[in-house]
Amino acid sequence: MSSNTIEISFGIDNGYASHAAVTAQSVVDHAPGADIRFTIIHSDVPLERQRMVESCVPRASFRWLQVDRTSIGDLAGKGHISEATYFRLKLPSLLPQTRRIIHLDCDLVVVDDVRTLWRTDTAAAGLAAVCDSIVAPIEWAHGWGLPTPPDRYFNAGVLVIDLDRQRETGAFDRVLERCIAASARLKYSAQCALNIEIWGQWAQLDWGWNVQRNMVLEEAPLPYPGERDAVRRRPRIVHYTGPHKPWQRTAYHPYAGLYWDVLRRTPFEREVAAKSGVSSARQLAWRMRWWANAAARYHRR
């Protein structure tokens, strides 16, 4: 890999291989000419499905790292949280020669050039993220005995990580230990543990790099003033957090059409549609709604 290579990692199980393909496709779509390598940490993705994911973006390179479930203690079989959410905590040790990486959840779609994200200054803590749009930071901090200010709690779905810094401090190892020891108290698992470990010691990304459903819809107050106006002007990554996944027929997300628009250019379209029960007509309606929203945003700029 050259010094210009953009390193991006995912953590998935076999059930999320199709969604990882969508995320990878969206990254490459919006970074023409970029040298991108995807590192996919997994526990059970068969070789055939790995090749299907790779076929979506043939000009990118891939590195598949299969991990032993025992490396995350007993977390693999605990609660409703997928074991894959903990794989990001193994990045510093799994990639000893990699200095910096962007880690992305695979329930998201990128709609801007990740080269801008790659150039982010991760500051002294070695990590950059977007404030979470659900967790009330002051209340959460008080529950863990953390000082306020600072009063910022980040979402771990989009992270820019200085791996050299994390190896130096051992922070990710301590986070994994906390997850194993106190998983019942950590509502959002590794995300909560990361926030505790580096409370206030991280760089804040532009809101647009992690746009969630409640940031767009006026269903509830948001913990950070001005958040909704900022993301409506320019979503850069749409993150389908919570139960409202675009591949679930009964869920509603205003940007569901974006997911289906990218999915149709992968080998997984029929598989996801059949499993979800989302008809072609509904997919088209959702795609048209997304493109109408995108056109409206373009004219407002």
Side-chain angles (χ1 to χ4, degrees):
M1 297 293 105
S2 74
S3 59
N4 295 321
T5 301
I6 298 174
E7 301 277 4
I8 297 176
S9 63
F10 305 149
I12 65 170
D13 55 28
N14 187 38
Y16 257 62
S18 55
H19 310 314
V22 170
T23 303
Q25 179 76 63
S26 69
V27 168
V28 173
D29 284 348
H30 294 278
D35 180 10
I36 296 172
R37 174 164 66 176
F38 294 103
T39 296
I40 303 184
I41 308 169
H42 71 103
S43 57
D44 61 353
V45 181
L47 184 60
E48 178 184 0
R49 286 174 72 78
Q50 293 179 25
R51 298 296 173 259
M52 289 173 68
V53 173
E54 292 179 9
S55 71
C56 300
V57 285
R59 69 176 185 269
S61 59
F62 283 81
R63 176 169 51 182
W64 294 82
L65 300 178
Q66 186 165 5
V67 297
D68 187 335
R69 287 185 168 94
T70 61
S71 68
I72 57 171
D74 63 348
L75 294 169
K78 185 177 289 186
H80 66 284
I81 302 294
S82 166
E83 64 186 27
T85 195
Y86 302 104
F87 292 167
R88 76 197 72 195
L89 302 178
K90 305 296 294 182
L91 284 168
S93 58
L94 288 172
L95 303 176
Q97 304 303 316
T98 302
R99 304 187 64 182
R100 180 182 178 86
I101 204 159
I102 297 171
H103 185 80
L104 300 176
D105 281 355
C106 287
D107 56 349
L108 58 78
V109 177
V110 177
V111 287
D112 205 342
D113 195 329
V114 294
R115 284 173 287 201
T116 303
L117 189 59
W118 182 248
R119 292 191 290 268
T120 299
D121 182 359
T122 54
L127 185 143
V130 175
C131 290
D132 191 82
S133 66
I134 297 174
V135 176
I138 296 177
E139 179 182 345
W140 183 87
H142 288 168
W144 285 96
L146 298 170
T148 54
D151 54 358
R152 297 180 302 142
Y153 174 102
F154 63 81
N155 183 279
V158 178
L159 300 174
V160 183
I161 308 170
D162 181 336
L163 292 176
D164 281 344
R165 177 63 175 160
Q166 302 311 327
R167 281 186 285 267
E168 178 185 320
T169 65
F172 276 35
D173 291 335
R174 290 192 296 275
V175 169
L176 182 57
E177 291 170 3
R178 182 183 293 274
C179 289
I180 294 171
S183 61
R185 287 193 63 203
L186 300 166
K187 182 175 182 180
Y188 298 111
S189 60
Q191 177 174 288
C192 286
L194 278 165
N195 272 278
I196 294 168
E197 178 65 33
I198 58 171
W199 180 244
Q201 301 299 310
W202 52 278
Q204 185 171 339
L205 295 170
D206 179 273
W207 291 109
W209 287 113
N210 196 335
V211 175
Q212 301 167 54
R213 179 178 182 270
N214 66 316
M215 295 163 73
V216 181
L217 301 176
E218 296 185 8
E219 294 181 333
L222 299 174
Y224 301 92
E227 185 177 338
R228 186 167 281 130
D229 289 342
V231 301
R232 282 176 170 173
R233 286 195 299 272
R234 190 179 185 186
R236 292 174 150 183
I237 290 179
V238 174
H239 188 186
Y240 303 99
T241 55
H244 300 280
K245 307 299 187 188
W247 54 85
Q248 294 175 338
R249 183 173 57 85
T250 57
Y252 171 71
H253 196 290
Y255 295 157
L258 170 63
Y259 170 86
W260 288 96
D261 193 59
V262 180
L263 177 68
R264 67 193 179 97
R265 291 181 284 113
T266 77
F268 295 97
E269 181 184 17
R270 290 185 179 181
E271 173 188 317
V272 175
K275 186 176 181 179
S276 66
V278 176
S279 66
S280 297
R282 178 170 291 189
Q283 293 174 39
L284 178 60
W286 282 347
R287 292 203 307 271
M288 291 177 66
R289 180 186 295 131
W290 160 254
W291 284 112
N293 288 337
R297 284 194 304 276
Y298 175 82
H299 287 299
R300 284 199 300 268
R301 292 182 186 178

PDB file of all heavy atoms in Angstrom, residues 7-38:
ATOM      1  N   GLU A   7      -7.228   3.885   4.533  1.00  0.00           N
ATOM      2  CA  GLU A   7      -7.539   2.636   5.220  1.00  0.00           C
ATOM      3  C   GLU A   7      -8.916   2.747   5.879  1.00  0.00           C
ATOM      4  O   GLU A   7      -9.165   3.669   6.662  1.00  0.00           O
ATOM      5  CB  GLU A   7      -6.484   2.334   6.286  1.00  0.00           C
ATOM      6  CG  GLU A   7      -5.063   2.195   5.768  1.00  0.00           C
ATOM      7  CD  GLU A   7      -4.774   0.796   5.222  1.00  0.00           C
ATOM      8  OE1 GLU A   7      -5.712  -0.035   5.189  1.00  0.00           O
ATOM      9  OE2 GLU A   7      -3.614   0.553   4.843  1.00  0.00           O
ATOM     10  N   ILE A   8      -9.793   1.784   5.564  1.00  0.00           N
ATOM     11  CA  ILE A   8     -11.147   1.777   6.121  1.00  0.00           C
ATOM     12  C   ILE A   8     -11.441   0.380   6.650  1.00  0.00           C
ATOM     13  O   ILE A   8     -11.153  -0.613   5.984  1.00  0.00           O
ATOM     14  CB  ILE A   8     -12.188   2.170   5.060  1.00  0.00           C
ATOM     15  CG1 ILE A   8     -11.943   3.597   4.577  1.00  0.00           C
ATOM     16  CG2 ILE A   8     -13.604   2.029   5.611  1.00  0.00           C
ATOM     17  CD1 ILE A   8     -12.850   4.041   3.456  1.00  0.00           C
ATOM     18  N   SER A   9     -12.008   0.306   7.837  1.00  0.00           N
ATOM     19  CA  SER A   9     -12.304  -1.001   8.428  1.00  0.00           C
ATOM     20  C   SER A   9     -13.784  -1.141   8.752  1.00  0.00           C
ATOM     21  O   SER A   9     -14.480  -0.166   9.029  1.00  0.00           O
ATOM     22  CB  SER A   9     -11.478  -1.222   9.703  1.00  0.00           C
ATOM     23  OG  SER A   9     -11.798  -0.272  10.706  1.00  0.00           O
ATOM     24  N   PHE A  10     -14.242  -2.405   8.694  1.00  0.00           N
ATOM     25  CA  PHE A  10     -15.583  -2.795   9.119  1.00  0.00           C
ATOM     26  C   PHE A  10     -15.428  -3.969  10.091  1.00  0.00           C
ATOM     27  O   PHE A  10     -14.461  -4.727  10.000  1.00  0.00           O
ATOM     28  CB  PHE A  10     -16.452  -3.304   7.958  1.00  0.00           C
ATOM     29  CG  PHE A  10     -16.595  -2.394   6.779  1.00  0.00           C
ATOM     30  CD1 PHE A  10     -16.769  -2.920   5.504  1.00  0.00           C
ATOM     31  CD2 PHE A  10     -16.587  -1.015   6.920  1.00  0.00           C
ATOM     32  CE1 PHE A  10     -16.923  -2.109   4.401  1.00  0.00           C
ATOM     33  CE2 PHE A  10     -16.741  -0.183   5.811  1.00  0.00           C
ATOM     34  CZ  PHE A  10     -16.904  -0.732   4.549  1.00  0.00           C
ATOM     35  N   GLY A  11     -16.403  -4.144  10.947  1.00  0.00           N
ATOM     36  CA  GLY A  11     -16.505  -5.351  11.755  1.00  0.00           C
ATOM     37  C   GLY A  11     -17.865  -5.967  11.497  1.00  0.00           C
ATOM     38  O   GLY A  11     -18.889  -5.322  11.745  1.00  0.00           O
ATOM     39  N   ILE A  12     -17.906  -7.207  10.976  1.00  0.00           N
ATOM     40  CA  ILE A  12     -19.194  -7.791  10.574  1.00  0.00           C
ATOM     41  C   ILE A  12     -19.265  -9.274  10.925  1.00  0.00           C
ATOM     42  O   ILE A  12     -18.244  -9.936  11.135  1.00  0.00           O
ATOM     43  CB  ILE A  12     -19.457  -7.630   9.058  1.00  0.00           C
ATOM     44  CG1 ILE A  12     -18.432  -8.426   8.229  1.00  0.00           C
ATOM     45  CG2 ILE A  12     -19.467  -6.172   8.654  1.00  0.00           C
ATOM     46  CD1 ILE A  12     -18.770  -8.510   6.748  1.00  0.00           C
ATOM     47  N   ASP A  13     -20.497  -9.770  10.945  1.00  0.00           N
ATOM     48  CA  ASP A  13     -20.726 -11.207  10.905  1.00  0.00           C
ATOM     49  C   ASP A  13     -21.328 -11.519   9.540  1.00  0.00           C
ATOM     50  O   ASP A  13     -21.560 -10.615   8.725  1.00  0.00           O
ATOM     51  CB  ASP A  13     -21.631 -11.665  12.052  1.00  0.00           C
ATOM     52  CG  ASP A  13     -22.966 -10.922  12.099  1.00  0.00           C
ATOM     53  OD1 ASP A  13     -23.445 -10.457  11.034  1.00  0.00           O
ATOM     54  OD2 ASP A  13     -23.537 -10.789  13.195  1.00  0.00           O
ATOM     55  N   ASN A  14     -21.591 -12.796   9.269  1.00  0.00           N
ATOM     56  CA  ASN A  14     -22.055 -13.189   7.940  1.00  0.00           C
ATOM     57  C   ASN A  14     -23.369 -12.516   7.555  1.00  0.00           C
ATOM     58  O   ASN A  14     -23.598 -12.184   6.396  1.00  0.00           O
ATOM     59  CB  ASN A  14     -22.199 -14.712   7.865  1.00  0.00           C
ATOM     60  CG  ASN A  14     -22.504 -15.196   6.461  1.00  0.00           C
ATOM     61  OD1 ASN A  14     -21.978 -14.666   5.493  1.00  0.00           O
ATOM     62  ND2 ASN A  14     -23.356 -16.194   6.363  1.00  0.00           N
ATOM     63  N   GLY A  15     -24.224 -12.288   8.534  1.00  0.00           N
ATOM     64  CA  GLY A  15     -25.512 -11.672   8.247  1.00  0.00           C
ATOM     65  C   GLY A  15     -25.407 -10.252   7.728  1.00  0.00           C
ATOM     66  O   GLY A  15     -26.349  -9.744   7.089  1.00  0.00           O
ATOM     67  N   TYR A  16     -24.279  -9.584   7.986  1.00  0.00           N
ATOM     68  CA  TYR A  16     -24.105  -8.203   7.558  1.00  0.00           C
ATOM     69  C   TYR A  16     -23.220  -8.059   6.320  1.00  0.00           C
ATOM     70  O   TYR A  16     -22.882  -6.944   5.924  1.00  0.00           O
ATOM     71  CB  TYR A  16     -23.517  -7.364   8.706  1.00  0.00           C
ATOM     72  CG  TYR A  16     -24.555  -6.491   9.383  1.00  0.00           C
ATOM     73  CD1 TYR A  16     -25.645  -7.052  10.031  1.00  0.00           C
ATOM     74  CD2 TYR A  16     -24.459  -5.101   9.364  1.00  0.00           C
ATOM     75  CE1 TYR A  16     -26.596  -6.254  10.646  1.00  0.00           C
ATOM     76  CE2 TYR A  16     -25.410  -4.297   9.969  1.00  0.00           C
ATOM     77  CZ  TYR A  16     -26.473  -4.879  10.613  1.00  0.00           C
ATOM     78  OH  TYR A  16     -27.427  -4.083  11.210  1.00  0.00           O
ATOM     79  N   ALA A  17     -22.873  -9.170   5.680  1.00  0.00           N
ATOM     80  CA  ALA A  17     -22.022  -9.094   4.489  1.00  0.00           C
ATOM     81  C   ALA A  17     -22.685  -8.257   3.390  1.00  0.00           C
ATOM     82  O   ALA A  17     -22.026  -7.456   2.717  1.00  0.00           O
ATOM     83  CB  ALA A  17     -21.708 -10.491   3.969  1.00  0.00           C
ATOM     84  N   SER A  18     -23.984  -8.419   3.212  1.00  0.00           N
ATOM     85  CA  SER A  18     -24.692  -7.664   2.167  1.00  0.00           C
ATOM     86  C   SER A  18     -24.669  -6.168   2.464  1.00  0.00           C
ATOM     87  O   SER A  18     -24.513  -5.340   1.556  1.00  0.00           O
ATOM     88  CB  SER A  18     -26.139  -8.147   2.052  1.00  0.00           C
ATOM     89  OG  SER A  18     -26.800  -8.068   3.308  1.00  0.00           O
ATOM     90  N   HIS A  19     -24.813  -5.799   3.728  1.00  0.00           N
ATOM     91  CA  HIS A  19     -24.815  -4.385   4.098  1.00  0.00           C
ATOM     92  C   HIS A  19     -23.400  -3.798   4.017  1.00  0.00           C
ATOM     93  O   HIS A  19     -23.240  -2.613   3.678  1.00  0.00           O
ATOM     94  CB  HIS A  19     -25.397  -4.222   5.505  1.00  0.00           C
ATOM     95  CG  HIS A  19     -26.706  -4.923   5.685  1.00  0.00           C
ATOM     96  ND1 HIS A  19     -27.724  -4.837   4.757  1.00  0.00           N
ATOM     97  CD2 HIS A  19     -27.150  -5.755   6.671  1.00  0.00           C
ATOM     98  CE1 HIS A  19     -28.752  -5.572   5.169  1.00  0.00           C
ATOM     99  NE2 HIS A  19     -28.429  -6.135   6.312  1.00  0.00           N
ATOM    100  N   ALA A  20     -22.387  -4.625   4.299  1.00  0.00           N
ATOM    101  CA  ALA A  20     -21.006  -4.176   4.129  1.00  0.00           C
ATOM    102  C   ALA A  20     -20.721  -3.856   2.669  1.00  0.00           C
ATOM    103  O   ALA A  20     -19.986  -2.912   2.354  1.00  0.00           O
ATOM    104  CB  ALA A  20     -20.035  -5.247   4.633  1.00  0.00           C
ATOM    105  N   ALA A  21     -21.321  -4.631   1.769  1.00  0.00           N
ATOM    106  CA  ALA A  21     -21.150  -4.372   0.337  1.00  0.00           C
ATOM    107  C   ALA A  21     -21.723  -3.009  -0.038  1.00  0.00           C
ATOM    108  O   ALA A  21     -21.128  -2.266  -0.831  1.00  0.00           O
ATOM    109  CB  ALA A  21     -21.833  -5.473  -0.481  1.00  0.00           C
ATOM    110  N   VAL A  22     -22.871  -2.657   0.540  1.00  0.00           N
ATOM    111  CA  VAL A  22     -23.483  -1.358   0.275  1.00  0.00           C
ATOM    112  C   VAL A  22     -22.588  -0.231   0.788  1.00  0.00           C
ATOM    113  O   VAL A  22     -22.345   0.762   0.086  1.00  0.00           O
ATOM    114  CB  VAL A  22     -24.880  -1.269   0.933  1.00  0.00           C
ATOM    115  CG1 VAL A  22     -25.422   0.156   0.873  1.00  0.00           C
ATOM    116  CG2 VAL A  22     -25.840  -2.237   0.255  1.00  0.00           C
ATOM    117  N   THR A  23     -22.080  -0.393   2.005  1.00  0.00           N
ATOM    118  CA  THR A  23     -21.208   0.642   2.568  1.00  0.00           C
ATOM    119  C   THR A  23     -19.953   0.819   1.729  1.00  0.00           C
ATOM    120  O   THR A  23     -19.557   1.947   1.396  1.00  0.00           O
ATOM    121  CB  THR A  23     -20.829   0.291   4.021  1.00  0.00           C
ATOM    122  OG1 THR A  23     -22.030   0.138   4.794  1.00  0.00           O
ATOM    123  CG2 THR A  23     -19.982   1.388   4.638  1.00  0.00           C
ATOM    124  N   ALA A  24     -19.313  -0.289   1.349  1.00  0.00           N
ATOM    125  CA  ALA A  24     -18.099  -0.214   0.525  1.00  0.00           C
ATOM    126  C   ALA A  24     -18.394   0.424  -0.826  1.00  0.00           C
ATOM    127  O   ALA A  24     -17.630   1.272  -1.318  1.00  0.00           O
ATOM    128  CB  ALA A  24     -17.509  -1.608   0.338  1.00  0.00           C
ATOM    129  N   GLN A  25     -19.500   0.026  -1.441  1.00  0.00           N
ATOM    130  CA  GLN A  25     -19.885   0.601  -2.731  1.00  0.00           C
ATOM    131  C   GLN A  25     -20.066   2.113  -2.622  1.00  0.00           C
ATOM    132  O   GLN A  25     -19.599   2.882  -3.471  1.00  0.00           O
ATOM    133  CB  GLN A  25     -21.188  -0.030  -3.208  1.00  0.00           C
ATOM    134  CG  GLN A  25     -21.724   0.498  -4.541  1.00  0.00           C
ATOM    135  CD  GLN A  25     -20.959  -0.043  -5.718  1.00  0.00           C
ATOM    136  OE1 GLN A  25     -20.945  -1.239  -5.960  1.00  0.00           O
ATOM    137  NE2 GLN A  25     -20.313   0.839  -6.474  1.00  0.00           N
ATOM    138  N   SER A  26     -20.716   2.553  -1.557  1.00  0.00           N
ATOM    139  CA  SER A  26     -20.971   3.991  -1.399  1.00  0.00           C
ATOM    140  C   SER A  26     -19.682   4.768  -1.153  1.00  0.00           C
ATOM    141  O   SER A  26     -19.544   5.906  -1.605  1.00  0.00           O
ATOM    142  CB  SER A  26     -21.963   4.228  -0.258  1.00  0.00           C
ATOM    143  OG  SER A  26     -21.401   3.932   1.009  1.00  0.00           O
ATOM    144  N   VAL A  27     -18.737   4.167  -0.438  1.00  0.00           N
ATOM    145  CA  VAL A  27     -17.443   4.824  -0.211  1.00  0.00           C
ATOM    146  C   VAL A  27     -16.753   5.097  -1.534  1.00  0.00           C
ATOM    147  O   VAL A  27     -16.304   6.219  -1.813  1.00  0.00           O
ATOM    148  CB  VAL A  27     -16.538   3.949   0.687  1.00  0.00           C
ATOM    149  CG1 VAL A  27     -15.103   4.476   0.671  1.00  0.00           C
ATOM    150  CG2 VAL A  27     -17.051   3.909   2.116  1.00  0.00           C
ATOM    151  N   VAL A  28     -16.648   4.068  -2.369  1.00  0.00           N
ATOM    152  CA  VAL A  28     -15.924   4.185  -3.641  1.00  0.00           C
ATOM    153  C   VAL A  28     -16.670   5.094  -4.616  1.00  0.00           C
ATOM    154  O   VAL A  28     -16.044   5.853  -5.365  1.00  0.00           O
ATOM    155  CB  VAL A  28     -15.695   2.787  -4.236  1.00  0.00           C
ATOM    156  CG1 VAL A  28     -15.102   2.877  -5.641  1.00  0.00           C
ATOM    157  CG2 VAL A  28     -14.772   1.975  -3.334  1.00  0.00           C
ATOM    158  N   ASP A  29     -17.993   5.052  -4.604  1.00  0.00           N
ATOM    159  CA  ASP A  29     -18.787   5.913  -5.490  1.00  0.00           C
ATOM    160  C   ASP A  29     -18.426   7.385  -5.325  1.00  0.00           C
ATOM    161  O   ASP A  29     -18.425   8.149  -6.303  1.00  0.00           O
ATOM    162  CB  ASP A  29     -20.288   5.751  -5.196  1.00  0.00           C
ATOM    163  CG  ASP A  29     -20.871   4.463  -5.744  1.00  0.00           C
ATOM    164  OD1 ASP A  29     -20.188   3.796  -6.551  1.00  0.00           O
ATOM    165  OD2 ASP A  29     -22.008   4.123  -5.357  1.00  0.00           O
ATOM    166  N   HIS A  30     -18.161   7.781  -4.091  1.00  0.00           N
ATOM    167  CA  HIS A  30     -17.979   9.200  -3.800  1.00  0.00           C
ATOM    168  C   HIS A  30     -16.516   9.592  -3.597  1.00  0.00           C
ATOM    169  O   HIS A  30     -16.231  10.712  -3.158  1.00  0.00           O
ATOM    170  CB  HIS A  30     -18.809   9.591  -2.572  1.00  0.00           C
ATOM    171  CG  HIS A  30     -20.288   9.495  -2.813  1.00  0.00           C
ATOM    172  ND1 HIS A  30     -20.997  10.495  -3.441  1.00  0.00           N
ATOM    173  CD2 HIS A  30     -21.174   8.499  -2.561  1.00  0.00           C
ATOM    174  CE1 HIS A  30     -22.263  10.122  -3.553  1.00  0.00           C
ATOM    175  NE2 HIS A  30     -22.399   8.923  -3.019  1.00  0.00           N
ATOM    176  N   ALA A  31     -15.608   8.680  -3.942  1.00  0.00           N
ATOM    177  CA  ALA A  31     -14.174   8.998  -3.860  1.00  0.00           C
ATOM    178  C   ALA A  31     -13.490   8.536  -5.143  1.00  0.00           C
ATOM    179  O   ALA A  31     -12.628   7.655  -5.111  1.00  0.00           O
ATOM    180  CB  ALA A  31     -13.552   8.340  -2.641  1.00  0.00           C
ATOM    181  N   PRO A  32     -13.878   9.106  -6.288  1.00  0.00           N
ATOM    182  CA  PRO A  32     -13.315   8.663  -7.570  1.00  0.00           C
ATOM    183  C   PRO A  32     -11.799   8.819  -7.611  1.00  0.00           C
ATOM    184  O   PRO A  32     -11.264   9.869  -7.259  1.00  0.00           O
ATOM    185  CB  PRO A  32     -14.005   9.574  -8.590  1.00  0.00           C
ATOM    186  CG  PRO A  32     -14.468  10.769  -7.814  1.00  0.00           C
ATOM    187  CD  PRO A  32     -14.798  10.259  -6.455  1.00  0.00           C
ATOM    188  N   GLY A  33     -11.136   7.750  -8.018  1.00  0.00           N
ATOM    189  CA  GLY A  33      -9.683   7.799  -8.149  1.00  0.00           C
ATOM    190  C   GLY A  33      -8.918   7.575  -6.860  1.00  0.00           C
ATOM    191  O   GLY A  33      -7.681   7.490  -6.886  1.00  0.00           O
ATOM    192  N   ALA A  34      -9.600   7.461  -5.743  1.00  0.00           N
ATOM    193  CA  ALA A  34      -8.907   7.275  -4.458  1.00  0.00           C
ATOM    194  C   ALA A  34      -8.368   5.849  -4.341  1.00  0.00           C
ATOM    195  O   ALA A  34      -8.969   4.895  -4.839  1.00  0.00           O
ATOM    196  CB  ALA A  34      -9.850   7.567  -3.294  1.00  0.00           C
ATOM    197  N   ASP A  35      -7.236   5.709  -3.668  1.00  0.00           N
ATOM    198  CA  ASP A  35      -6.640   4.412  -3.375  1.00  0.00           C
ATOM    199  C   ASP A  35      -7.175   3.971  -2.019  1.00  0.00           C
ATOM    200  O   ASP A  35      -6.786   4.526  -0.988  1.00  0.00           O
ATOM    201  CB  ASP A  35      -5.114   4.545  -3.354  1.00  0.00           C
ATOM    202  CG  ASP A  35      -4.409   3.232  -3.051  1.00  0.00           C
ATOM    203  OD1 ASP A  35      -5.089   2.185  -3.049  1.00  0.00           O
ATOM    204  OD2 ASP A  35      -3.190   3.250  -2.802  1.00  0.00           O
ATOM    205  N   ILE A  36      -8.065   2.983  -2.026  1.00  0.00           N
ATOM    206  CA  ILE A  36      -8.767   2.587  -0.805  1.00  0.00           C
ATOM    207  C   ILE A  36      -8.527   1.111  -0.518  1.00  0.00           C
ATOM    208  O   ILE A  36      -8.596   0.268  -1.407  1.00  0.00           O
ATOM    209  CB  ILE A  36     -10.285   2.848  -0.934  1.00  0.00           C
ATOM    210  CG1 ILE A  36     -10.556   4.357  -1.072  1.00  0.00           C
ATOM    211  CG2 ILE A  36     -11.041   2.278   0.264  1.00  0.00           C
ATOM    212  CD1 ILE A  36     -11.991   4.692  -1.383  1.00  0.00           C
ATOM    213  N   ARG A  37      -8.228   0.824   0.740  1.00  0.00           N
ATOM    214  CA  ARG A  37      -8.147  -0.568   1.182  1.00  0.00           C
ATOM    215  C   ARG A  37      -9.142  -0.782   2.315  1.00  0.00           C
ATOM    216  O   ARG A  37      -9.145  -0.056   3.304  1.00  0.00           O
ATOM    217  CB  ARG A  37      -6.749  -0.933   1.662  1.00  0.00           C
ATOM    218  CG  ARG A  37      -6.706  -2.349   2.254  1.00  0.00           C
ATOM    219  CD  ARG A  37      -5.315  -2.917   2.404  1.00  0.00           C
ATOM    220  NE  ARG A  37      -4.513  -2.188   3.373  1.00  0.00           N
ATOM    221  CZ  ARG A  37      -3.275  -2.569   3.720  1.00  0.00           C
ATOM    222  NH1 ARG A  37      -2.713  -3.620   3.145  1.00  0.00           N
ATOM    223  NH2 ARG A  37      -2.592  -1.873   4.607  1.00  0.00           N
ATOM    224  N   PHE A  38      -9.977  -1.795   2.159  1.00  0.00           N
ATOM    225  CA  PHE A  38     -10.940  -2.168   3.184  1.00  0.00           C
ATOM    226  C   PHE A  38     -10.385  -3.331   4.000  1.00  0.00           C
ATOM    227  O   PHE A  38      -9.980  -4.349   3.442  1.00  0.00           O
ATOM    228  CB  PHE A  38     -12.272  -2.588   2.559  1.00  0.00           C
ATOM    229  CG  PHE A  38     -13.002  -1.483   1.857  1.00  0.00           C
ATOM    230  CD1 PHE A  38     -12.998  -1.400   0.473  1.00  0.00           C
ATOM    231  CD2 PHE A  38     -13.693  -0.518   2.572  1.00  0.00           C
ATOM    232  CE1 PHE A  38     -13.685  -0.382  -0.189  1.00  0.00           C
ATOM    233  CE2 PHE A  38     -14.374   0.504   1.927  1.00  0.00           C
ATOM    234  CZ  PHE A  38     -14.366   0.572   0.550  1.00  0.00           C
TER     235      PHE A  38
END
